[in-house]
Amino acid sequence: MTSQRGRMLWVWLLAAYLAALALVGFWPTPVDAPAQGPLSRTLAQLQAAGVPQSFDYDTVEATANMLIYVPVGFAVTVGFRSSWWQTVAVGACTSACVELGQLLFLQHRYPSLIDVATNTAGALLGFLLARTFQGRRKGVEAN
């Protein structure tokens, strides 16, 4: 069982992480712009070595969008003892707010419903990981 103090730590970590996500999400230019050239060259080398052509920049970007929201799902689940749908709702709403902000305020950023979907999937993955670790912890405490 997570103590009240432990839960509050997760809430503060979530707040700090959301602030960092806001910084990334509302940066005036795409944050991956400096990495696009080197990443494209690396992907071309990997594909030349036999990695499927379907493993491309879009795949890497979608995976990164999912992984960046895993900590959100984990912290929401542990800090607020949320259900899966509550965690997914927080991930989806947070991502939708970032994408809407990009649409309304940032001319060099490109909002995307795919980003909302992959971010939301990341929050769900964070929920599943949190529940897995919570279940294992309960099993260890029972022994």
Side-chain angles (χ1 to χ4, degrees), residues 95 112-122:
S95 180
S112 166
L113 290 176
I114 292 173
D115 288 355
V116 174
T118 54
N119 294 156
T120 302

Side-chain angles (χ1 to χ4, degrees), residues 2 6 34 51-53 69 77 101 110 119:
T2 304
V51 171
Q53 294 291 318
Y69 269 74
T77 303
Y110 308 101
N119 294 156

Side-chain angles (χ1 to χ4, degrees), residues 4-69:
Q4 183 66 21
R5 181 182 240 171
R7 287 182 55 227
M8 286 309 298
L9 174 63
W10 281 105
V11 170
W12 282 105
L13 288 171
L14 174 64
Y17 194 79
L18 289 175
L21 278 180
L23 183 63
V24 170
F26 294 113
W27 198 257
T29 57
V31 293
D32 62 344
Q36 286 180 354
L39 181 57
S40 293
R41 287 189 296 277
T42 300
L43 288 170
Q45 290 172 342
L46 289 171
Q47 291 166 348
V51 171
Q53 294 291 318
S54 60
F55 186 73
D56 57 7
Y57 187 85
D58 290 338
T59 303
V60 172
E61 182 184 29
T63 302
N65 279 332
M66 184 176 70
L67 293 177
I68 201 168
Y69 269 74

